[in-house]
Amino acid sequence: MVELNTGIFTLAGAQQYLEREPELHVDQLSARIWTVCDGVRRTLFVEADSSVIAFDTLATPGAARAYRKAITAAIPGKPVQTIIYSHDHLDHAGFAADLAPDADIIADEMCAKVIGMRKAKGQLLPTQCLSGKRNRLMIDGVGLMLLNPGPTHGTGNLSAYFEHEKILFSSDTLLPNARYGLLPDYHIWNLVRFMRELQQLDWNTFVPGRYEVTDRARFEKGCDFFVAVKVASQQAFAEFVPIWVLGAMEEYVGGKLREQFGDLDGFDENIGLIAIRIVHHYLMGGWGLEDTWNPGVLLADSLTNPSGA
Amino acid sequence: MVDTVIPGVGYTFFPDWHLAPYVPVMKRLLSLDWDLFVPGHFWITDRQGFIDNLAYYDRMADMAQQAIFDSLDPHNFTEVKKYTEANLRGEFGELFRFQEYCAMNLSRYMQHYLTGGWGIEGNWQPNTTPL
């Protein structure tokens, strides 16, 4: 009997949740690039000369198997030989063991180091690690660029740029809506600065890690939204808003931003949570090395790479 | 010790807390001989208050996993509040700021299990031997 890959769950009873194969929706974006979505999380796969390059694995072992079936249906006869981790989180890159256990796995070096420490069941170590901001790769006849401008969300977050198709993929950074919730593992200090570096590239289609495919205009609006929440959150201190009260932050920041950003899907349900997260960035000064002006430099050399890749 | 054990439920969404190593590392402090614990916010507590507070985190870790298995979406805060009310008020409803923060606590813990912990600090394998 094959052991179930359980990520970091410790509680009994995970089997039904982990094994369920969700219905996936697949769309073809170009001659060789497809996008797949489980209803919330989204990723990409690419047809190479003799194989398939899959970004991420989706969120559970069941979802990873459904992902593999969706790839086979779209591109019959070509195996997944390469997986590229967009970042370290299990809900995107946790289950390569169920998607394609023998594939080569490419990730940023810091992503690999976190995965090595985590030792989650099902999350395979990368076999090839990248460093630096920009890596141009040729994989089985497919040319693409993997970019890590700096800490945005999670650890070692790689965006993929397909120059010929004018497509940018960036997982769990900007969304086409306001459904950010409590902004889990977002690095507030530098997010917009680094996303605007990606905006400088020549692309028309933006594929986020959640929800629908979008365009430059909504990418730009996403940047503007973050800047506006950061400004309003700082104003909340000046106006003695009780920043530790969710309802107060929702009313204050929501009131200031609704006219400009109220059309973003999920604005009313999420603005209080987003605001209370961001106001604590200013209260505390940011979290750890990722939230500094020169992020990541110290940790990059202080840990060994567990895969040796 | 500042911004670790604080009377009541956890503060908002546990900002900059490192959830995986937090409880085992805090329990190392129990190897020292002390009677009073001075937190970084609110009231001084005692040894039992310290132990009870850490037990809340352990319970939240279990509840977060169960909530995921029950198909609760941590981003649907209306549903997270309902789930918290139905499943945690009986056990923790008397704690300071339960109504304000417990649902945010649960959502944050759910994100921990879904994502796998955050960064180096959230995945560190801590030393848990007595101090």
Side-chain angles (χ1 to χ4, degrees), chain A residues 8-14 17-18 40-41 59 88-92 110 113-114 117-119 153-155 179-186 210-211 243-246 269-270 273 276-278 280 283-284 286-290 299 303, chain B residues 3 11-18 20 41-42 61-78 81 97 100-101 103-108 110-125:
Chain A
I8 64 164
F9 289 117
T10 57
L11 202 65
Y17 165 75
L18 292 169
V40 176
R41 283 161 291 265
D88 66 295
H89 286 169
L90 296 175
D91 58 337
H92 290 267
M110 288 307 295
K113 288 172 179 177
V114 167
M117 286 197 300
R118 180 179 291 141
K119 298 181 172 58
H153 169 87
T155 303
R179 297 193 175 280
Y180 292 98
L182 285 164
L183 288 160
D185 210 5
Y186 272 73
R210 288 170 194 262
Y211 306 108
I243 59 99
W244 57 91
V245 177
L246 178 64
E269 302 100 291
N270 286 269
L273 296 169
I276 205 165
R277 165 66 180 89
I278 289 183
H280 280 82
L283 181 72
M284 301 168 83
W287 300 358
L289 293 170
E290 295 94 339
L299 278 178
L303 291 166
Chain B
D3 281 5
Y11 177 65
T12 60
F13 50 93
F14 300 121
D16 211 5
W17 250 261
H18 311 302
H41 290 266
F42 302 113
D62 286 349
M63 280 306 301
Q65 293 180 71
Q66 188 58 54
I68 292 167
F69 305 158
D70 291 341
S71 302
L72 182 65
D73 175 3
H75 285 289
N76 186 338
F77 199 59
T78 301
K81 283 191 284 191
R97 284 182 158 168
E100 280 179 87
Y101 295 153
M104 270 193 272
N105 290 181
L106 182 65
S107 177
R108 169 74 166 80
M110 290 175 71
Q111 295 287 354
H112 170 77
Y113 282 98
L114 288 170
T115 60
W118 300 359
I120 303 294
E121 299 94 335
N123 285 284
W124 197 258
Q125 307 296 317

Side-chain angles (χ1 to χ4, degrees), chain B residues 1 4-8 26 34-54:
Chain B
M1 187 176 184
T4 51
V5 165
I6 300 172
M26 289 299 290
W34 52 267
D35 298 320
L36 287 182
F37 181 79
V38 183
H41 290 266
F42 302 113
W43 313 283
I44 289 170
T45 189
D46 59 12
R47 205 172 174 84
Q48 190 57 49
F50 180 96
I51 291 168
D52 291 346
N53 191 270
L54 294 182

Side-chain angles (χ1 to χ4, degrees), chain A residues 48-283:
Chain A
D49 287 352
S50 62
S51 66
V52 173
I53 303 163
F55 283 81
D56 290 334
T57 70
L58 296 179
T60 62
R65 289 194 296 273
Y67 184 17
R68 186 179 64 219
K69 291 173 186 172
I71 291 171
T72 302
I75 309 171
K78 292 188 178 180
V80 175
Q81 283 187 349
T82 308
I83 298 173
I84 299 173
Y85 289 162
S86 66
H87 61 297
D88 66 295
H89 286 169
L90 296 175
D91 58 337
H92 290 267
F95 299 96
D98 296 275
L99 173 64
D102 299 321
D104 295 326
I105 299 176
I106 297 171
D108 179 88
E109 61 173 337
M110 288 307 295
C111 172
K113 288 172 179 177
V114 167
I115 289 170
M117 286 197 300
R118 180 179 291 141
K119 298 181 172 58
K121 288 183 183 172
Q123 188 171 41
L124 302 182
L125 285 171
T127 56
Q128 181 184 348
C129 292
L130 306 178
S131 58
K133 293 179 80 159
R134 189 177 285 235
N135 285 273
R136 194 180 286 275
L137 304 182
M138 179 62 72
I139 304 170
D140 189 17
V142 173
L144 73 161
M145 196 183 292
L146 296 176
L147 302 150
N148 178 3
T152 50
H153 169 87
T155 303
N157 196 314
L158 288 174
S159 296
Y161 175 47
F162 299 91
E163 198 169 8
H164 178 70
E165 291 84 358
K166 297 189 187 301
I167 292 172
L168 179 69
F169 168 60
S170 180
S171 183
D172 277 8
T173 52
L174 293 180
L175 301 178
N177 52 38
R179 297 193 175 280
Y180 292 98
L182 285 164
L183 288 160
D185 210 5
Y186 272 73
H187 308 302
I188 302 300
W189 192 303
N190 293 300
L191 174 73
V192 172
R193 168 185 158 207
F194 291 139
M195 295 312 291
R196 284 197 164 139
E197 284 187 28
L198 298 177
Q199 195 182 359
Q200 301 306 313
L201 300 167
D202 181 23
W203 51 267
N204 300 320
T205 301
F206 178 62
V207 183
R210 288 170 194 262
Y211 306 108
E212 70 271 20
V213 174
T214 188
D215 57 16
R216 289 190 82 85
R218 280 209 281 178
F219 184 100
E220 173 63 25
K221 188 157 188 169
C223 290
D224 292 345
F225 176 60
F226 266 95
V227 171
V229 178
K230 290 171 86 170
V231 169
S233 296
Q234 293 175 76
Q235 289 170 335
F237 288 102
E239 297 190 25
F240 296 98
V241 176
I243 59 99
W244 57 91
V245 177
L246 178 64
M249 287 302 292
E250 183 175 289
E251 184 178 340
Y252 181 80
V253 176
K256 281 193 169 300
L257 303 188
R258 187 163 287 106
E259 185 177 343
Q260 188 177 356
F261 297 103
D263 62 325
L264 289 174
D265 180 55
F267 178 89
D268 286 324
E269 302 100 291
N270 286 269
I271 191 61
L273 296 169
I274 296 167
I276 205 165
R277 165 66 180 89
I278 289 183
V279 85
H280 280 82
H281 170 79
Y282 290 101
L283 181 72

